[in-house]
Amino acid sequence: MTELDKISRRDFIRVSVLAGGGLLVACGGGGSSSRSNDPSDPGDNGGGTPVTPADAFQVGEFMRISTDNKITVLVGASEIGQGALTSIPMIVAEELDADWSQVTAEMSPVAANFNNPYFQNLLQFTVASSAIRGYFQGQRSVGATVRQMLINAAAKRWGVEADTLRTEASFVIDDIGGRRASYGELSSVAAEEPIPNNPPLKDPAAYRIIGSSPQRLDAADKTNGSFRYGMDVDIPNMLTAVIARPPRFNGQALNVDDNAALAVPGVRSVHTILGGVAVVADDFWSADKGRKALIVQWNELLAGRTDSDTQRNAYNLRLNLPGLPIRTDGLVLLAQTLASETLSADYYFPFMAHAAMEPLNVVVDYDGSSAEIWTGTQSATLDKIFAGLILGLLPDQITFHMMPSGGGFGRRGNPLADFVRDACAVAKEVRQPVKVIWTREDDMKGGFYRPAAAVRVSASIDSANNISAWTHRSVTQDVTALLYAENLLDSLADFTLPPLKELTDFETGMPYKIDNVLMDAHLTVNLSMPALWMRSVNKFSDVFAQETFIDELAMKVGKNPYNFRRDLLSEKPRHRAVLDAVADAAGWGFNNAGISQGIAVMGHWNSFVAQVVEVSVSANRELTVHRVVSAVDCGTAVNPDLVIAQVESAVIFALSSILFGEILLEDGVVQQSNFDDYPVLRMYQTPVIETVIVNSGNPVGGVGELGVPCVGPALANAIFEATNERIRELPLTRSNFKIA
C-alpha cells in the first residue's frame, strides 16, 4: 500500500469528470491514482506521494493540487511530439483560472476515464488528429468544475455569496472584502463541497491561456536530455530481447538452431514465439549478436508473396472496373455524354514506411500473476487488452504506462497491437523484466506501411468551359475503409448529423462546386501485406490526384490555378479563406526568374489548409524546393506555436514521402532496410517554411495530419509550371529528379 492509499477520503477533492461530456462521478481514496512515466521509479503510482513537502490533493483521476499551489494535470492523449502534454493542460488551466507557471503535466494511466471522447469514450486512442478535438470540451469541464468548487469553499469560509467572488492566477479573490485565498490552501476544504452541476464555461473572448503560446512544458527536459521516452526505460534486473523475424510476412519458424546464439556471452535464452525467434540477453549488443548467430528455417507456406510490380499492374486493371460508391451527385453519365471534352489521369503511390525516429520498443515486467508495461503507443486501450490476452491477465492485473514517443505517424496506433503482443509473448517465457527492442532495420522491414494506392480522376468540360462532371476512383487496401467513418465520428461527438452532402464533401475531400460527381473505391483485402494508416492516410493520395488534376483543368480553360479554385469554392468560405491567405502570404503570381509556384487546398479533420510550394528545376533535372507557405484554419488554435510546429513538421514529413518514400517488395521481401535506402529529408534540403493561422473562431479542429496532403500536389503543380511535365506517380525520384 502506498502512502497515497493511506490518506483518508476527506483529503481528496472527490470529483472525477468524464472527459466526454462533463459527467461528474464522486470518487475517493487513491486507488485510481496515476502511475508515473518515470521508469527510474517503476513501483510508484505517479504522484502517489507528493514530490514536495506540501500535501497533494487528488482531483479525481484528472488533477492534483498541492498546498504550495502546484497543479498537475493528467493527460490521456499520447504524447508523440505534437505537444499534448502542453496543450491539454492549457485547456484545463484556462477554465480553472490557474497560474500557468505552476502547472505541470503527466501521462495518465490507461483507464476508461481517460478514453478519447472522439471515439465515443470507448478507447484511449490518439489517431486521426483527434487529441484536441476529442478532449477539448471535457477538459474545459474539468477545469470549470474544480474552479467552482474552490469558489464555493472560499465563499463558505468568508460567509459571502459565491457569485461575488472571482478567480485569477490560482487565487479566489473577494474584491469587496479585500482578501484572497490560493487554490492550494482551499483544496482540502473544497473536498467537502458538493459537485456543481453544469458549471459555467468561459466565453472564448475571455481566454487568456488558450490562444497564447507558452513554452512547451516538456521543452526544458527535452533540451537537457532528461525527458524519458520508451527507449529510456530501465528497471532493475531488466533483460533485453530482439526478435529474428521471417523474411516474408506471416512466415513461421520451423526449425531453430540456437547453439551459436547461446554461445554468445551475455545471451540468456532463445524462444520461438508467433512473431519470430526471440534472443534474450543481458544487453542489446549481446542480444543482437546472438540473433545474427541464429540459424532459422522458416515455414513460408502461408507467407505473403506481394510483389510491387505485380500489384501495381493489378491495381491499374481495377481502375477500369466500377468500385464501391462513396459519393454520387447528379447524373454523371449524362453530363459526360453532353460534354465538349472529358479528360482523365491515372496516378500511383507505393507503400511507404512510417520511419519514426524512435524505433518500436516495449518493456514488460511479468511475474505470472501481474504485469507492468511501458511503451510509447497511440492505442493504449487495445494494447492493454491484447497484453491481457497474451499474458492471461485481467485488466486490473496490468499496469500500463503510456510513455512519450519519438514519433509515431500512425505506426504506434496499430489496433492489432503487434509490437506489444510480441513483447508480452517474450515476457511470458522469461518471467523477468525484459525490454524488446526493434532496430531500425526491424522497424523498416517489420510491416504495417502506408498502403499502396492507384487513383483515376476524370472531368468533363461543357461548352462554357465549366466542369460539368467529375469522377474519382481509388484502389487501395481495406485499412482505408475505416477513414470514411471519421466525419460520422465528428458528428456523433457533436450530437449532430450534418446533411449528407456536407458529410461526403468532408469524407471525400472534394469541396468544389461541381453538380455531377461520382466517387468510388476498390478496397482490396491483402492479409499477407500488413498495411496501416499513416499520417494523413488516404488524403495523401486522393488529394494529390484531385489537386494536380484541378490544375490541369485550370490550364485547359485558360485560368490561373488560384482564381480557378477560388471560383469553384464560392460555397466554401473556410476553404476560400485559407486559399486567399496563402496566396497573399506567398505573393502568389510573383515573377521571380527561375522560381515556379504551385498551390493546393483541402479541408478535413474539421480544419482547413492551403499551401504554396516554390521550386526551381535545373537543366539536368536537379530539383530545389525553396519555400513552402501554409495557411491554416483549425477553428480555435489552443497554442498557435504548437499548431505552427505541427504544420511545419508535417511539411518535412510530406516532402520526405514525396521526394523519396518508397517501400518495394520482390516476391514478398521488403527491399529497404534503413535510412541509406529509405532516405528522409536532410536539413540542407529543407526549404524555408512559413505558416499563417487563419482564426475563424470555429470549434477546434485537428492539425497533426493537416499539413501533409497538399504539399505533394502543390509541389507537383510547381514542377509543371517549371518544366511543363505532369507528375503521375511518387516518389519524385522515379521521375529521375535529383533532389538538391
Side-chain angles (χ1 to χ4, degrees), residues 9-10 12-16 25-28 58 149 191-192 195:
R9 285 190 62 184
R10 65 175 293 140
F12 294 89
I13 297 177
R14 299 188 306 275
V15 54
S16 173
V25 181
C27 72
Q58 184 94 0
M149 293 175 73
E192 305 298 330
I195 299 165

Side-chain angles (χ1 to χ4, degrees), residues 440-441 444 671-680 682:
R440 175 66 57 199
E441 289 77 10
M444 197 71 71
Q671 300 301 298
Q672 285 69 36
S673 62
N674 209 313
F675 288 135
D676 58 336
D677 52 12
Y678 191 90
V680 295
R682 302 305 197 225

Side-chain angles (χ1 to χ4, degrees), residues 33 57 340 402 740:
S33 62
F57 297 92
S340 299
M402 281 199 309

Side-chain angles (χ1 to χ4, degrees), residues 329-342 459-463 466-471 514-517:
D329 295 347
L331 301 171
V332 171
L333 289 177
L334 179 60
Q336 289 174 333
T337 301
L338 298 176
S340 299
E341 185 176 5
T342 296
S460 299
I461 300 174
D462 63 20
S463 57
N466 296 316
I467 304 176
S468 58
W470 177 279
T471 69
I514 301 171
D515 291 334
N516 305 291
V517 177

Side-chain angles (χ1 to χ4, degrees), residues 596-655:
S596 300
Q597 293 181 312
I599 195 168
V601 63
M602 68 159 288
H604 201 64
W605 306 289
N606 283 352
S607 295
F608 301 81
V609 65
Q611 291 173 309
V612 169
V613 176
E614 297 176 357
V615 306
S616 63
V617 183
S618 69
N620 67 347
R621 298 182 69 78
E622 185 173 77
L623 171 67
T624 302
V625 183
H626 295 281
R627 185 167 71 139
V628 178
V629 183
S630 306
V632 176
D633 170 9
C634 59
T636 299
V638 173
N639 184 315
D641 277 359
L642 288 179
V643 171
I644 291 170
Q646 280 278 70
V647 172
E648 297 187 352
S649 77
V651 168
I652 294 173
F653 183 89
L655 287 173

Side-chain angles (χ1 to χ4, degrees), residues 305-315 665:
R305 297 283 179 173
T306 300
D307 182 270
S308 292
D309 291 338
T310 301
Q311 178 181 266
R312 177 171 185 163
N313 292 335
Y315 276 22
L665 293 103

